[in-house]
Amino acid sequence: MLKYIALKGLLAILVAFTASLAAFLLLNVASDPAQAIAGEDATPDVVETIRIRYGLDRPVYERYLSWLAGVATGDFGESYYWHKPVAELVADRADETLTLALSALFVTILIAVPLGALAGLNPNSWIDRAALGVAVSAQAIPNFWLGLIMIILFAVMIPIFPVSGDNTWYHFVLPAIVLGASSVPAVMRLTRTGLIEVMGADYIRTARAKGFRGNALLRRHALRNAILPVISVLAVQLGQKFGGSVITESIFAINGLGRLALESILGADIPTVQMLIFVFAIVFVAMNLLADILNAALDPRIRIG
Amino acid sequence: MTDVQITQTTAAPQAETEGLSPGQELRQRMLGHTGFLIGAGLITLVVLIAIFAPLLAPHDPYAQSLANRMLPPIWQEGGSADYLLGTDQNGRDYLSRLIYGTRISVTIGIGAATIGLLIGVTFGVLAGYFGGWVDHVISFLLTAQLALPGLLLAMALVFIIGPSIWVVIGIVGVLHWTYYLVVTRSATQRLRSLDFVAASAASGASAPQIILHEILPNLIPQIIVIFTFELGISILAELSLSFLGVGIQPPTPSWGLMIAEGKQAMFFRPWLVILPGICLFLLVIGANLMGDGLRDITSPEGRNG
């Protein structure tokens, strides 16, 4: 088991660095960052000055290596825009995004698991069809539009929740619903199929054939088995919530990492963008690793094979 | 990835399809699938609107009129039959802008989904056919791509390269190939072990010949299914980019941009936000229903059921 975790962990770190390299290359080779910082109307000598000032005249591989060396010591460079160490900026804002991501996950579980369970226990019933309808519709609604509709609803018609800011937990209700809604279809469908599979499994059929009548008990056991794969998918979804925070935070004026990302992109602040991409990638691989470990811990076939 | 096959009870009974040619059978199954018909109908409608936009639009979508700013839709007080869905901040006819907006969405959807297809299918077939280290390298790339926060990277790239419709298409396409890869890889692995491929190899066909003549034609149904889903996903991605200001630029009529522009006035004129959202919802749900339907229709289980 330990060997399995170590191997998966090593792979995860490798993946995160490959992702950071890809992002670094794309950001630096696809176009001229010095030009982007200076703006479109800048004269060539201004662009040249900026290029030298930020060390952008060095070859890309050299810059990536020095970035890597910095990362090893926790130094992610200095923000072009805020003129502060990037690591400090990110640390200041991480709280908000973590709160948002966790509360969004909570909303997902609250909606998707009961809905999926109801659908899975009554396949092809009207409940199943209604749940499927919810899933199909939720997939087609863009996150930011749902957010705006919520704001219109709750600011004008039923003003119970604040529509912007991040001072109290109350402020996180609407953003959590918006961000949480995006994971509902996937988690719901998985709960549904998991339950259908388990309810059709041999041991349940045998129990039924033998005349076992405890339907409530049966369902509770089935749900417990069906929920195992859902837990690991939730871990993966939590990882995606960080990347998904960009839109939700900008709509609800939450001062977290997503908003920092948007601001630093609009300010051509490449070191901040680069660190955020790296942090989001790390969170993503860490959550996937957690999902793998959970799977292995729960299912001996993976652990041994 | 977590999408799950939904059993369709509406599929044509076996007795009716017996003795039909494959083409006739396919047509019958398409006509018997409600979801597919609705989805295909919506997509056809939107594509027709995009093609015939100049004939359908009552006004020039770019023509500004200071006298007619922010007119409400016809069903509200102060609406006029000249501007059925009202006008925006610059007095431009909203209906005409929505009609021309289909062109942007359709172009981006088809363009980006095609680029993703080329990358994903190439990787998927190579990984599935050759296996071994090729498969390992490609699977590693897949994991790294999944770890990257797609929207964030897309925003940064569009901003640095400079926003234009072609840049948006290219970047959205380059970041959306994983779904094609996952599906074509496993399908190729399965096909590779079948007798007709072995026969082709035994008769002296080279690897490129086998891939082109034996493998690819058999992947087409699955590729079409994913393409349909990716249409919706790419269109949503463009919308998010345009909404955040790093996609299609004004004054081009893009639904995402229209929502962003309407946001300032949404408390008093919510239709500016709601109308483009509904258009988008119908288009994306059309793509998803058509994809679900095609998957049911082309899968072997659907064929027998």
Side-chain angles (χ1 to χ4, degrees), chain A residues 154-212:
Chain A
F154 285 98
V156 184
M157 299 180 189
I158 342 166
I160 14 176
F161 293 112
V163 293
S164 74
D166 52 15
N167 300 324
T168 65
W169 69 269
Y170 230 54
H171 285 90
F172 282 95
V173 175
L174 293 182
I177 293 174
V178 170
L179 188 56
S182 57
S183 301
V184 166
V187 176
M188 197 206 87
R189 287 185 177 198
L190 194 68
T191 314
R192 176 186 177 274
T193 26
L195 258 181
I196 291 178
E197 234 164 65
V198 173
M199 289 303 280
D202 289 345
Y203 69 95
I204 301 264
R205 276 222 311 267
T206 311
R208 283 216 164 127
K210 281 183 169 174
F212 185 71

Side-chain angles (χ1 to χ4, degrees), chain A residues 82 85-101 166 172 179 238-250 253-266 269 272-284, chain B residues 149 151-152 155 244:
Chain A
W82 283 276
V86 175
E88 213 174 279
L89 274 173
V90 172
D92 278 353
R93 304 245 201 146
D95 271 13
E96 266 77 10
T97 303
L98 191 63
T99 314
L100 176 62
D166 52 15
F172 282 95
L179 188 56
L238 182 63
Q240 288 171 349
K241 293 270 171 276
F242 282 79
S245 65
V246 180
I247 286 176
T248 317
E249 289 185 5
S250 76
I254 293 174
N255 227 353
L257 296 179
R259 193 132 172 259
L260 179 66
L262 181 63
E263 288 166 351
S264 48
I265 287 169
L266 295 178
D269 189 356
T272 312
V273 176
Q274 178 71 34
M275 174 169 180
L276 283 171
I277 289 177
F278 182 68
V279 168
F280 289 158
I282 288 275
V283 171
F284 184 88
Chain B
L151 178 65
L152 183 53
M155 286 162 62
L244 292 168

Side-chain angles (χ1 to χ4, degrees), chain B residues 11-154:
Chain B
Q14 175 136 31
E16 282 178 32
T17 57
E18 258 172 49
L20 295 176
S21 74
Q24 283 171 320
E25 197 196 320
L26 189 70
R27 199 168 316 132
Q28 231 180 38
R29 284 165 62 204
M30 281 180 170
L31 291 175
H33 196 294
T34 326
F36 172 78
L37 288 180
I38 298 174
L42 282 169
I43 295 293
T44 315
L45 185 70
V46 172
V47 170
L48 286 177
I49 292 177
I51 294 172
F52 295 108
L55 298 176
L56 294 168
H59 295 269
D60 176 354
Y62 295 98
Q64 305 191 0
S65 156
L66 286 178
N68 293 320
R69 290 177 68 232
M70 302 264 205
L71 287 180
I74 185 164
W75 59 86
Q76 286 196 345
E77 220 184 299
S80 89
D82 259 2
Y83 300 97
L84 286 177
L85 297 180
T87 57
D88 68 2
Q89 303 77 341
N90 296 313
R92 295 173 293 198
D93 179 41
Y94 223 50
L95 176 62
S96 305
R97 287 183 73 73
L98 287 173
I99 289 175
Y100 271 88
T102 55
R103 292 191 153 185
I104 300 287
S105 290
V106 169
T107 314
I108 297 215
I110 294 176
T114 308
I115 293 177
L117 184 153
L118 294 176
I119 303 174
V121 172
T122 309
F123 277 168
V125 170
L126 289 179
Y129 188 83
F130 292 106
W133 67 267
V134 181
D135 189 26
H136 284 304
V137 170
I138 291 175
S139 298
F140 183 76
L141 284 178
L142 167 75
T143 328
Q145 163 75 49
L146 287 173
L148 281 170
L151 178 65
L152 183 53
L153 191 58

Side-chain angles (χ1 to χ4, degrees), chain A residues 12 22 60 65 79 87 94 119 163-164 171 183 227 229 231 243 246 282 293 295 297:
Chain A
V60 176
L65 288 179
S79 157
V163 293
S164 74
H171 285 90
S183 301
I227 216 78
I231 293 175
V246 180
I282 288 275
I293 294 173
N295 265 335

Side-chain angles (χ1 to χ4, degrees), chain A residues 11 14-16 18-20 22-23 26-28 30-33 36 40 124 129 132-133 136-145 148-149 151-152 155-156 163 186-187 189-190 192-193 233 237 240 243-244 246-247 250-251 258 261-262 265-268 270 273 276-278 280-282 284-285, chain B residues 1-10 140-141 143-157 159-163 174-175 229 236 239-241 243-246 255-256 259-260 263 266-271 273-278 280-286 288-289 292 295:
Chain A
L11 202 65
L14 214 59
V15 164
T18 310
S20 85
L26 282 170
L27 288 173
N28 285 285
S31 173
D32 184 359
E40 265 173 48
N124 292 322
R129 293 189 178 279
L132 185 67
V136 171
S137 314
Q139 263 171 342
I141 297 178
N143 226 260
F144 63 88
W145 191 66
L148 294 179
I149 297 298
I151 292 181
I152 292 176
V156 184
V163 293
V187 176
R189 287 185 177 198
L190 194 68
R192 176 186 177 274
T193 26
V233 164
Q237 294 282 340
Q240 288 171 349
V246 180
I247 286 176
S250 76
I251 290 178
L262 181 63
I265 287 169
L266 295 178
I270 293 171
V273 176
L276 283 171
I277 289 177
F278 182 68
F280 289 158
I282 288 275
F284 184 88
V285 295
Chain B
M1 288 156 277
T2 42
D3 276 0
V4 168
Q5 187 94 35
I6 306 297
T7 2
Q8 277 293 330
T9 45
T10 49
F140 183 76
L141 284 178
T143 328
Q145 163 75 49
L146 287 173
L148 281 170
L151 178 65
L152 183 53
L153 191 58
M155 286 162 62
L157 285 173
F159 183 82
I160 290 184
I161 300 173
V174 164
L175 294 175
F229 284 122
L236 279 177
L239 239 84
S240 304
L241 289 173
F243 174 75
L244 292 168
V246 279
W255 292 343
I259 295 176
K263 201 178 92 176
M266 69 178 180
F267 292 129
F268 310 104
R269 297 173 183 84
W271 69 85
V273 166
I274 294 173
L275 290 175
I278 292 175
L280 173 86
F281 175 73
L282 291 175
L283 176 53
V284 175
I285 214 167
N288 288 351
L289 285 175
D292 275 336
R295 185 170 49 191

